[in-house]
Amino acid sequence: DLPDGLDDELLAELTAKAKIEIAIGLFEAAKISSGYGARMLGITRREFLDLLYERKIPMVSYDEGELEQEIQLANQLGDEVRRRHEVSQ
């Protein structure tokens, strides 16, 4: 039971804060996506990402191997775009 005098407005505020903490905790634990976290809170994905930014929580998390793969892929795509641009001129 809740203490006497805990009005509905305060209870609603505490509930909203708890939901935010739960959603962010699940996101940090890689249990949910940012889109799902936003849906849990009834906000846009952009607003959820802003919450993460305000708390300095990374929006993506790569291990060293994954990051290296992403860099290689970006370099390959960049090379392909440059080749296609040179051919079209």
Side-chain angles (χ1 to χ4, degrees), residues 67-85:
L67 181 57
E68 193 61 40
Q69 286 178 326
E70 289 292 322
I71 291 170
Q72 287 177 349
L73 180 57
N75 287 333
Q76 290 171 358
L77 291 173
D79 291 345
E80 180 65 24
V81 167
R82 280 188 288 282
R83 278 196 295 276
R84 288 182 183 194
H85 181 70

Side-chain angles (χ1 to χ4, degrees), residues 4-79:
D4 290 338
L6 189 61
D7 63 10
D8 291 339
E9 187 175 315
L10 179 57
L11 182 58
E13 180 182 337
L14 293 173
T15 300
K17 286 181 179 182
K19 284 182 180 180
I20 290 170
E21 296 306 318
I22 290 167
I24 288 175
L26 289 170
F27 177 82
E28 281 187 289
K31 300 296 183 189
I32 62 171
S33 67
S34 59
Y36 191 85
R39 284 192 299 279
M40 283 178 65
L41 301 177
I43 59 176
T44 66
R45 183 170 178 264
R46 180 70 214 164
E47 290 168 323
F48 188 78
L49 294 176
D50 286 342
L51 286 173
L52 299 177
Y53 177 79
E54 289 168 7
R55 294 163 182 248
K56 297 178 176 48
I57 297 169
M59 294 174 207
V60 293
S61 179
Y62 291 111
D63 67 28
E64 196 169 313
E66 289 173 324
L67 181 57
E68 193 61 40
Q69 286 178 326
E70 289 292 322
I71 291 170
Q72 287 177 349
L73 180 57
N75 287 333
Q76 290 171 358
L77 291 173
D79 291 345

